[in-house]
Amino acid sequence: MSTIAPVIEEKARQIGDMLTRSLEMSIFRQAEHDLQSHGEAQTLIGEVQTKQATGEDVEGVLDRLESLDVVRRFSIAQENLSDVITHITKILAATLSDRLDLIAPESEGGCCGCPAEGCDKATSCDGDAASLCS
């Protein structure tokens, strides 16, 4: 049985669901599919794994692999998704430590890029000062 409060668990599920439906996740899934169905990339990945298992040098194969557009697109999509997850984690950590100033860009007005000075809605601010910020 979970020791997490049901409300917190539900909110975590909602965040997970939102992340699953995000543009970044969509792009990542497509890039992952493209990579998995790209013959040359899969051959090179197999070659890297074989060489690693036998202790051989993989630099040349990795260079060829990294030069493929499909691999670059996957890497960028993976990085973008990771950035979103990192940002969510920072918001949670800052909220728990009551340090929302750690995530609010100081040079951009209010919280999380919100144009309203003094806005304290960093966890829900979408930049629409009229609806969220005071």
Side-chain angles (χ1 to χ4, degrees):
M1 183 172 194
S2 175
T3 60
I4 298 175
V7 173
I8 294 172
E9 190 171 334
E10 177 58 29
K11 294 296 183 185
R13 290 181 196 280
Q14 288 175 359
I15 291 170
D17 184 54
M18 291 169 66
L19 182 58
T20 299
R21 293 182 287 121
S22 71
L23 177 61
E24 291 82 3
M25 180 63 84
S26 232
I27 292 169
F28 173 77
R29 284 185 177 150
Q30 183 61 52
E32 183 178 45
H33 176 267
D34 293 348
L35 179 63
Q36 290 172 347
S37 60
H38 192 275
E40 182 180 2
Q42 290 305 304
T43 299
L44 291 171
I45 290 170
E47 192 175 329
V48 166
Q49 291 170 339
T50 301
K51 286 183 179 257
Q52 284 178 330
T54 61
E56 294 180 55
D57 181 41
V58 296
E59 287 302 313
V61 181
L62 283 176
D63 288 344
R64 290 188 352 238
L65 185 62
E66 291 170 357
S67 73
L68 298 175
D69 284 341
V70 70
V71 173
R72 283 195 297 267
R73 284 192 304 271
F74 175 78
S75 295
I76 291 168
Q78 188 175 40
E79 184 176 319
N80 289 340
L81 181 59
S82 178
D83 288 348
V84 170
I85 293 168
T86 298
H87 187 69
I88 290 168
T89 303
K90 282 181 183 177
I91 291 170
L92 290 172
T95 301
L96 289 173
S97 67
D98 199 25
R99 290 293 312 267
L100 294 177
D101 59 306
L102 297 176
I103 57 168
E106 293 177 23
S107 63
E108 294 185 24
C111 67
C112 72
C114 178
E117 292 291 332
C119 173
D120 65 348
K121 309 275 194 257
T123 58
S124 62
C125 182
D126 64 1
D128 183 3
S131 68
L132 291 175
C133 302
S134 53

